[in-house]
Amino acid sequence: MSFAEAMDMMAEAAAGITYLPDLGTVRARLVDGSYQVHDVWLQDATVFRDQIRRLDPVQAVAIWPLGYEDPAVWDLLDPNMSPGLAMEVLQRPVSLDDVVLQSGSGPFVTGAERAVIGQRDVVMDPESGAIMSETYRVVPRPNRISLGGAAASRGLHVTFDGLPGAETADNLLATLSHAGVRAAFLVDLRDLLADDATLRRIVAAGHDIGLRLALDRQPRLGPGEDLRHNTAQMALSHATGMRSLLIQPDSVIAGRADFEARVWMVDRGFLVVAAGIMAPFGVFDPMIFVARVRDEASGDFSGNVEFALGPNSQAVTAVLPAILSGLRSRDSNSRRWARRPA
Amino acid sequence: MDPAILTRAMLRLRDRLGTETCVIGPIDAPFWDDGRLIESIDLAVARAFVDPATPTDAPALPGWLDTHLDRVATLIPGDKLVIALGRSAMSGRADGPSLTL
């Protein structure tokens, strides 16, 4: 693990970071998502300084592995480095701005966060030059991008119209997790404002949030849509810390205005969620629906199977396991499931 | 590894390819004691850290480091010796032996 990856992990987990002089290393202790305690041994620039002071000043040194190091180690390689100058180097802001960490996969950038400049506080014995302590007042982070989007291959994707009710959210998320399906939940501003707790749980479970957008039926789209859309994005960002690339218009393409609406969204870099195969409202026979999806998706189909939630949450939760199982069975002629909606 | 075999291999490499040779190994490796091996190579890179068996073991304890730095400094001429420092970061469950490297 590189210094940048380790720092990012520590910042994410709010790890406790301690320099241990007796062990000659920095140890960070953190709790992961499964509540397991992890130790991270970190050879940062402070540890590096403590090691090179033990060497002959002209000793040839290699940094191992190259590219994984704390950037400050390069400034510490000066053979004439005094303890005072080393302190000055170690107290400088720690920038990982030339590193970009990537998470997820797919052709679209779904999130980006800028690097955070870190700051460490180091205490050094002025006589021996030994490091006494080190803390990170601000843990540095590299630039981060998250990727997503449907694979280039065609496939079926699961989307939900609205949010599940609080009483059914657990079952629904467990069903998706059990089936290994990553879904998209398409919400409007009312959903965003009404139930941000469920929204956060959905995001935490690794699913995507898309915005449903009501468009004016006018040939020229303009400030009205921008304002409406921006308000929804702000509400989503407020609730989850992220914005969405997925947009579902509230209409099928019925004319020039609806076509222009798609162009308006694509021009702004959004992924338009196309209308797909809609599941019936209420309780229905899941096997009949599976057969219908197989029939409609037998060609070069690329789209979504959509389930309406809201008051329909319990009915969807009841039939979803059988549908997912049926669509993934060996004799299914549907396309493979992609990890992201298109 | 038997230092004699390593020495023969390094000599052959140098003789047949006419190129410089380098051995990279742990700083506490026994083969640094073999004078013929050191004589036969152009560069010796001693990795001054260990891969800890469990997360409770630090990668380069100061006492261990000092001992082996002194040792290789006496065994390997200064113009051949390179000390590899670093090892970036390692993580593992605090209560288990598994590590993510």
Side-chain angles (χ1 to χ4, degrees), chain A residues 42-107:
Chain A
L42 180 69
Q43 306 295 93
D44 68 357
T46 304
V47 174
F48 187 82
R49 164 62 194 170
D50 197 57
Q51 292 178 341
I52 56 172
R53 78 181 178 87
R54 299 163 189 276
L55 304 177
D56 187 293
V58 296
Q59 172 63 57
V61 170
I63 293 169
W64 191 294
L66 197 60
Y68 279 45
E69 72 280 0
D70 180 335
V73 303
W74 297 103
D75 293 328
L76 294 168
L77 283 173
D78 183 346
N80 300 316
M81 177 71 57
S82 65
L85 189 52
M87 267 296 283
E88 192 269 317
V89 169
L90 292 171
Q91 302 274 26
R92 287 177 193 161
V94 185
S95 172
L96 299 172
D97 196 36
D98 58 348
V99 180
V100 180
L101 285 189
Q102 178 182 307
S103 62
S105 61

Side-chain angles (χ1 to χ4, degrees), chain A residues 1-2 6 9 21-25 29 36-43 48 51-52 54-55 59-65 68, chain B residues 24 45 47 49 55-62 65-66 69 81-95 101:
Chain A
M1 189 190 311
S2 70
M9 187 167 83
D22 292 346
L23 300 185
T25 191
R29 184 157 274 184
Q36 293 288 339
V37 177
H38 283 248
D39 278 340
V40 179
W41 295 117
L42 180 69
Q43 306 295 93
F48 187 82
Q51 292 178 341
I52 56 172
R54 299 163 189 276
L55 304 177
Q59 172 63 57
V61 170
I63 293 169
W64 191 294
Y68 279 45
Chain B
I24 301 171
V45 180
R47 292 189 293 135
F49 49 82
T56 52
D57 295 332
L61 288 166
L65 185 61
D66 288 340
L69 285 173
L81 177 62
V82 177
I83 302 294
L85 299 172
R87 194 62 193 88
S88 57
M90 291 150 284
S91 78
R93 279 168 56 166
D95 58 350
L101 299 178

Side-chain angles (χ1 to χ4, degrees), chain A residues 249-263:
Chain A
D250 67 341
S251 63
V252 296
I253 301 178
R256 182 75 187 172
D258 290 315
F259 172 75
E260 290 294 339
R262 269 77 177 165
V263 173

